[in-house]
């Protein structure tokens, strides 16, 4: 029986090869997109699952930020019995690493207590996790970094000179961190080295590290949170922070904490892409059903003959499901080939290491379930419809398909194009927000701005470097900032002012800058003046603040008034307009700019800021300019490697996730339109088949081609219009919710929905008009002979 059904199926596939290919193409697209996106979702959901006892691992945070007091980890472990182990972790700024004559900037260095390895399960290939970070000047490398500096040689016991002053001894080699770890680093330095460098590790008022804890097996999270809060309140006078325990499994999905070292993703993006891939699969299944209805309509006489010769309804149902199963199985096999071919590109695009395990037991079970599910969903309606025909009506060519099939066709078109409109609006809406973020006036110049890391705290060397660069005719200006342009040293509760309420405190971002930095960045002043190059009194004990800070401290005439910051009185001499030095995901925070003291304020992320002249229409060469800058650098800073980055690229990198999401949404919307068009093509073909005799009669009685076109097209256009009406408010609600993730966002303009509707209607009209035109221009004699 099965052999007969399979042979019949293959014969039908070959006989209707064009439609069989369309069927396969639709299903292959739907299955491939669904499997690729679901593999990515599975990867994202797997973050940190490699850790044992992951259910008892937490990170201590405040309700707003991930940083904690320096002394917290030690106190938690020693004073709270519920805390089995505690550890501090902190990302370091860019540092220079020197081995032999090789010197590199390393941007992926971290500091941690040795107990981190007892909480998070990172594997060692060489060395012992228990004592690898026991001494201040030890260092643990990943396998990747060990190969970079020592090739095939044994690195244990070798020395790396950090920042030209800290000799670190290699005491361990870790396996490369899993890509699904929320912490990513290339090497670890003992956190205690901070004490050796003069930092107060016993302070409850200096906030730097993230704090991780592993709780006792019977500990209750809520109870431990209350104990942590009580402990902090006991150690910090007038503490106003609320501390919570963040489960390990939640860290990757929380993008709202400030000062977070973790690799995070907004879970909204996972929902959007998951729903998008499911919609594509649903559209492809609907298309398959519609095309099958068209094919079975051609084979209705064959079904009638089989029924006459004794075939039962169950035989017909079996044939329908075998036909469907074979096409679905072929589509899956083709999808495997496509997934295998595109997976390297796909992984590179997403920035992950997704292992598809296409032939693992778990994957094979999933594929079998998916094949059966798609087969059932795709075959059940055609099977029920084919067996609903009365034999006498089939033999008399009276097919009650119009009324029975009408509601399904109507629903299928509405569903398909509603989903397409939803995806189109989503793609355009996300793209509009991305363009808004990339092109919005940030309150400073972003073009032709170059950052060059400066680690030396010698003001003399910097001034020499500055003077030499300013001699270059292609350089407009050079300045200095003690932190990256797009970052701040942030502190909470260190600002005090007249009129401050007893429980009032604010986070403040601070930077120390050279006198001309704000002018170089073209930041506009709302009030007051800039630091003076010549007037020393204008630089000492003074500050420039932004409008956000003035609003928070409620100073009406701030110029000349004082604030106390980090225990020091500062006179406000200028107020700048709010500038978006951080991404538009966040509101502009209060900011204070002080004049740079190289001996005191130099930060490891300090940079010289170079503004290149606008060279449009000239023979200017950026490569030649950087050769000149490099030569100047080597004369003044021979002990440091030369490195640089462009500000506009750094700003664009802030929105990498949105760029990827926009690209994928355009892919989804494009595929949805293609699939919907295939489905509409099948439906138009089906309708033409149903109404062939009617069209012939109308033409014989004088109907014009245009009248036939209107007759055949109006229902489709009506259904697409209904789909647009249904999809528009749903799309508006979803995009509006997504935009709530941004402090600054674009408007949902009416033209987005109008464009989506016009695209859907236009594509629908083009799709059905071809079949309608063929039917309308056909010889009416052929139409009358059709049945």
């Amino acid at each position: 029986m099965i052999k007969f059904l399979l042979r019949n199926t293959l014969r039908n596939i070959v006989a209707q090869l064009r439609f069989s290919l369309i069927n396969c193409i639709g299903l292959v697209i739907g299955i491939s997109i669904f499997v690729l996106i679901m593999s990515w979702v599975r990867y994202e959901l797997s973050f940190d699952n490699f850790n044992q006892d992951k259910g008892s691992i937490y990170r201590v945070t405040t309700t707003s930020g991930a940083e904690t007091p320096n002394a917290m980890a030690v106190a938690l472990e020693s004073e709270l019995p519920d805390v089995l182990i505690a550890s501090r972790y902190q990302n370091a700024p860019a540092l220079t690493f020197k081995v032999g004559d090789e010197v590199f900037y390393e941007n992926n260095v971290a500091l941690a207590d040795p107990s981190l390895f007892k909480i998070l399960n990172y594997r060692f290939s060489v060395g012992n996790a228990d004592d690898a970070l026991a001494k201040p000047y030890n260092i643990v490398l990943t396998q990747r970094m060990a190969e970079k500096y020592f090739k095939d040689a044994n690195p244990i016991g070798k020395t790396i000179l950090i920042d030209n002053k800290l000799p670190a001894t290699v005491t361990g080699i870790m396996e490369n961190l899993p890509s699904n770890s929320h912490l990513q680093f290339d090497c670890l330095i003992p956190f205690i080295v901070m004490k050796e460098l003069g930092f107060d590790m016993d302070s409850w008022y200096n906030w730097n590290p993230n704090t991780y804890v592993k709780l006792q097996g019977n500990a209750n999270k809520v109870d431990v949170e209350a104990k942590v809060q009580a402990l902090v309140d006991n150690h910090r006078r007038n503490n106003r922070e609320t501390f919570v325990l963040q489960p390990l499994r939640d860290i990757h999905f929380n993008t709202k904490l400030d000062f977070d070292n973790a690799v995070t993703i907004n879970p909204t993006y996972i929902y959007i892409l998951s729903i998008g891939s499911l919609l594509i699969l649903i559209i492809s299944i609907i298309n398959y059903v519609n095309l099958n209805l068209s094919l079975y309509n051609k084979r209705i006489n064959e079904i009638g003959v089989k029924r006459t010769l004794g075939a039962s309804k169950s035989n017909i149902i079996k044939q329908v499901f075998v036909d469907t199963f074979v096409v679905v199985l072929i589509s899956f096999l083709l999808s495997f080939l496509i997934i295998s071919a595109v997976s390297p590109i796909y992984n590179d695009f997403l920035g992950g290491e997704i292992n598809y395990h296409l032939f693992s037991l778990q994957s094979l079970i999933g594929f079998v379930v998916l094949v059966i599910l798609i087969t059932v969903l795709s075959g059940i309606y055609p099977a029920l419809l084919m067996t609903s025909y009365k034999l006498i009506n089939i033999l008399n060519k009276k097919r009650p398909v119009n009324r029975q099939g009408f509601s399904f066709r109507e629903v299928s078109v509405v569903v398909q194009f509603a989903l397409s409109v939803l995806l189109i609006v989503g793609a355009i809406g996300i793209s509009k927000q991305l363009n808004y973020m990339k092109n919005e006036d940030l309150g400073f110049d972003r073009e032709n701005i170059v950052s060059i890391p400066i680690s030396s705290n010698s003001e003399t060397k910097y001034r020499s470097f500055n003077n030499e660069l300013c001699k270059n005719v292609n350089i407009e200006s050079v300045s200095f900032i003690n932190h990256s342009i797009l970052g701040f040293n942030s502190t909470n509760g260190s600002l005090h002012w007249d009129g401050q309420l007893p429980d009032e405190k604010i986070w403040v971002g601070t930077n120390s800058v050279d006198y001309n930095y704000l002018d170089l960045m073209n930041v506009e002043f709302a009030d007051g003046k800039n630091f003076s190059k010549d007037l020393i009194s204008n630089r000492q004990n003074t500050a420039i603040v932004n409008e956000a800070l003035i609003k928070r401290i409620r100073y009406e005439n701030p110029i000349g008034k004082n604030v106390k910051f980090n225990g020091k009185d500062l006179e406000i001499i200028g107020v700048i307009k709010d500038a978006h030095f951080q991404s538009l995901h966040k509101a502009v925070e209060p900011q204070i700019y002080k004049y740079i003291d190289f001996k005191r304020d130099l930060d490891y992320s300090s940079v010289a800021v170079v503004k290149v002249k606008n060279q449009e229409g000239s023979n200017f060469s950026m490569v030649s300019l950087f050769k000149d800058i490099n030569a100047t650098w080597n004369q003044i800073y021979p002990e440091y490697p030369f490195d640089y980055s462009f500000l506009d690229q750094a700003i664009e990198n802030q929105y990498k996730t949105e760029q990827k999401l926009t690209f994928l949404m355009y892919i989804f919307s494009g595929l949805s339109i293609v699939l919907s068009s295939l489905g509409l093509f099948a439906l138009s073909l089906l309708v033409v088949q149903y109404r062939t005799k009617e069209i012939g009669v109308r033409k014989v009685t004088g109907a014009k081609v245009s009248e036939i076109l209107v007759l055949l097209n109006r229902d489709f256009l009506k259904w697409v219009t209904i789909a647009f009406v249904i999809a528009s408010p749903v799309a508006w609600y979803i995009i509006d919710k997504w935009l709530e993730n941004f402090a600054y966002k674009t408007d949902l303009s009416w033209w987005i929905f109008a464009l989506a509707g016009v695209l859907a209607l236009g594509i629908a009209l083009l799709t059905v008009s071809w079949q309608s035109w063929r039917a309308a221009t056909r010889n009416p004699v052929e139409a009358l002979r059709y049945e």
Side-chain angles (χ1 to χ4, degrees), residues 178-348:
S179 64
N180 59 347
S181 168
H182 79 275
L183 293 180
Q184 292 293 325
F185 50 83
D186 288 328
C187 65
L188 276 178
I189 301 170
F191 198 87
I192 197 172
V193 76
M194 301 287 286
K195 187 172 185 178
E196 300 290 323
L197 296 174
F199 291 88
D200 186 357
M201 293 294 97
D202 299 321
S203 172
W204 283 88
Y205 298 93
N206 291 335
W207 296 52
N208 289 294
N210 291 181
T211 298
Y212 290 84
V213 296
K214 179 185 282 189
L215 303 185
Q216 300 282 1
N218 59 351
N220 180 275
K221 172 180 177 291
V222 177
D223 292 341
V224 176
E225 277 184 339
K227 293 175 182 178
V228 170
Q229 187 67 47
L231 182 144
V232 176
D233 291 341
N234 182 51
H235 285 281
R236 279 174 54 86
R237 295 186 309 274
N238 301 320
N239 175 59
R240 303 185 189 98
E241 292 291 349
T242 300
F243 286 84
V244 296
L245 295 182
Q246 183 184 35
L248 179 65
R249 63 180 179 273
D250 294 346
I251 295 176
H252 179 59
F253 304 105
N254 191 329
T255 59
K256 297 182 178 180
L257 291 178
D258 294 324
F259 324 117
D260 196 350
N261 295 316
V263 176
T264 60
I265 185 172
N266 190 327
T268 304
Y269 298 147
I270 295 179
Y271 302 145
I272 289 174
L273 294 181
S274 299
I275 293 171
S277 67
L278 182 61
L279 297 184
I280 295 294
L281 183 61
I282 291 172
I283 291 173
S284 66
I285 291 174
I286 292 174
N287 282 346
Y288 179 83
V289 173
N290 287 334
L291 282 166
N292 261 8
L293 289 178
S294 179
L295 290 175
Y296 282 120
N297 185 60
K298 288 188 172 184
R299 294 171 55 192
I300 195 69
N301 291 332
E302 174 193 337
I303 293 172
V305 171
K306 287 182 177 180
R307 294 277 299 277
T308 303
L309 295 176
S312 65
K313 288 185 178 182
S314 64
N315 295 135
I316 303 300
I317 291 174
K318 289 175 184 177
Q319 185 66 67
V320 171
F321 276 107
V322 169
D323 291 350
T324 303
F325 175 77
V326 170
V327 173
V328 171
L329 187 60
I330 293 172
S331 301
F332 260 93
L333 295 175
L334 293 174
S335 296
F336 287 172
L337 295 176
I338 291 174
I339 291 169
S340 299
V342 305
S343 57
I345 302 171
Y346 183 64
N347 282 0
D348 185 61

Side-chain angles (χ1 to χ4, degrees), residues 89-97 106-112 162 166 184-191 193-194 197 208-209 261 483 603-605:
Y89 175 92
Q90 179 181 345
N91 283 349
L95 298 169
T96 60
F97 275 41
E106 295 295 345
N107 297 300
N108 213 10
V109 182
L111 300 95
I162 301 176
L166 300 177
Q184 292 293 325
F185 50 83
D186 288 328
C187 65
L188 276 178
I189 301 170
F191 198 87
V193 76
M194 301 287 286
L197 296 174
N208 289 294
N261 295 316
H483 208 69
D603 191 283
Y604 283 105
S605 53

Side-chain angles (χ1 to χ4, degrees), residues 440-458:
E440 175 69 0
D441 181 10
L442 301 179
F444 61 90
D445 286 348
R446 70 173 95 184
E447 303 295 333
N448 300 320
I449 303 292
V450 181
S451 295
I452 301 174
I454 301 275
S455 296
S456 170
N457 65 352
S458 169

